[in-house]
Amino acid sequence: MDAKLTIVDVTGSTNDDLLEAGKQGATHGTGLAARAQTAGRGRRGHKWDSTAGNLLLSIVLRPCVNPAKYSGLAAVSGLAVLEALEKQGLANEIGLKWPNDLVARGRKLGGILVEAARDNEGKPFAVCGIGVNVNYAPQEVPDGGLPAIGLSDLNENVPAVDMLLDEVYHAVIDAVDAWAERLNAMEENTGPLAPVHGEYVAHLNWIGKHVIARSPAGDELARGIFKTVDGFGRACIETEDGLRFFHFEEASLRPLSEWVVTASRSAALPGDPNPSCKTKGPRYRNGSGAL
């Protein structure tokens, strides 16, 4: 196990621990894993079931990029986790759900939470939290969330959690370093997803499918065909009234098939899954919060 990766039996939240360590100057690549957490959380403050037997990992990241580009870290990290699982022969049925989940068989396998902050010297950093269900799939489903599934439900033989931790830890750091190098070689106004855009979209679920975009409060914002995600990480949906773009803080997507919809309403939706979605992207806040 890498000297910069520490494993503890239990803690409140590995993200909270490393946010504090980062403020005290913890270096790029400092990792903390726990067998269990008592206060694990996901995006928008949702509780993350952190029962023992699963992969629970956080990593301090200090990529040499404009911190306004940190919004790309969740996608980069999600792809890295997929790569690590592929090396173990475990990723055949796994895809990504915009913006930050791993899914399989229509169920949630894992999630990525990236939180940005500044240390006591004012230097920006981020903490990437990664949770993957390995031997235990939580039964409780958050409002509007997907039911859970574990790697052991998908595969007869699953490596020990510690082996997966080592693979995921190194994959994420390598991927973030490569992303930062490629991003810095591009024009300054390039979207943060540009270096991995094609690969990210290729692994996204529901591209070309009818979806509903819902607000954090559960209100319907739009319905139509999920066309792509642009270079700034926004979901592009073709509706009856044209293309709509949603930032990850604004919406979550669900397949239209999960909701009760009349046949006439479904038939009225536009059908071409491949228009261009190139638009000028928004500026991100410096040190944006959880992804």
Side-chain angles (χ1 to χ4, degrees):
M1 197 67 67
D2 194 283
K4 294 180 70 175
L5 175 58
T6 301
I7 301 177
V8 298
D9 286 333
V10 63
T11 188
S13 161
T14 55
N15 257 40
D16 284 348
D17 291 346
L18 287 195
L19 281 169
E20 182 59 34
K23 291 175 182 177
Q24 301 301 322
T27 59
H28 178 70
T30 299
L32 176 65
R35 309 292 186 198
Q37 295 180 125
T38 59
R41 67 181 189 280
R43 195 163 71 107
R44 296 175 180 159
H46 290 164
K47 177 184 176 182
W48 184 269
D49 190 323
S50 303
T51 302
N54 291 337
L55 186 152
L56 306 167
L57 170 67
S58 294
I59 307 171
V60 173
L61 300 173
R62 295 181 183 268
C64 296
V65 301
N66 185 328
K69 308 280 190 177
Y70 282 8
S71 54
L73 286 170
V76 174
S77 299
L79 286 170
V81 175
L82 273 182
E83 179 185 350
L85 296 178
E86 285 172 356
K87 287 184 178 179
Q88 296 293 325
L90 303 174
N92 291 338
E93 299 182 66
I94 304 173
L96 299 175
K97 183 178 79 66
W98 180 84
N100 67 333
D101 288 340
L102 288 88
V103 292
R105 300 180 186 174
R107 294 172 174 263
K108 183 168 180 173
L109 178 73
I112 311 289
L113 174 67
V114 177
E115 297 178 289
R118 290 185 179 271
D119 63 24
N120 292 338
E121 295 182 359
K123 298 176 181 177
F125 71 96
V127 172
C128 176
I130 302 159
V132 179
N133 300 327
V134 181
N135 298 305
Y136 168 79
Q139 299 302 307
E140 184 178 350
V141 180
D143 291 342
L146 297 175
I149 196 170
L151 286 175
S152 59
D153 298 315
L154 303 172
N155 305 273
E156 291 185 4
N157 299 306
V158 177
V161 173
D162 283 4
M163 179 180 293
L164 293 176
L165 274 172
D166 193 57
E167 288 281 355
V168 169
Y169 169 77
H170 286 99
V172 170
I173 294 173
D174 290 346
V176 169
D177 290 345
W179 164 77
E181 182 177 354
R182 293 173 62 190
L183 187 62
N184 285 330
M186 297 178 172
E187 295 184 5
E188 186 176 351
N189 62 353
T190 298
L193 262 63
V196 298
H197 182 263
E199 185 181 5
Y200 179 64
V201 172
H203 285 89
L204 277 177
N205 276 21
W206 310 332
I207 294 289
K209 306 294 184 181
H210 293 93
V211 298
I212 291 180
R214 291 187 176 272
S215 73
D219 300 322
E220 181 176 325
L221 301 175
R223 60 174 65 193
I225 295 176
F226 184 20
K227 313 304 287 186
T228 190
V229 169
D230 69 11
F232 292 85
R234 299 177 303 172
C236 170
I237 299 175
E238 183 186 24
T239 73
E240 291 176 326
D241 298 321
L243 295 177
R244 297 279 304 277
F245 294 85
F246 294 96
H247 189 262
F248 57 78
E249 293 177 339
E250 297 175 308
S252 294
L253 304 184
R254 291 292 182 272
L256 194 59
S257 59
E258 290 189 5
W259 305 91
V260 179
V261 184
T262 63
S264 59
R265 175 61 177 162
S266 297
L269 291 167
D272 176 16
N274 293 303
S276 171
C277 292
K278 295 180 180 179
T279 66
K280 182 177 180 181
R283 292 183 178 179
Y284 284 82
R285 298 191 308 272
N286 232 11
S288 58
L291 301 187

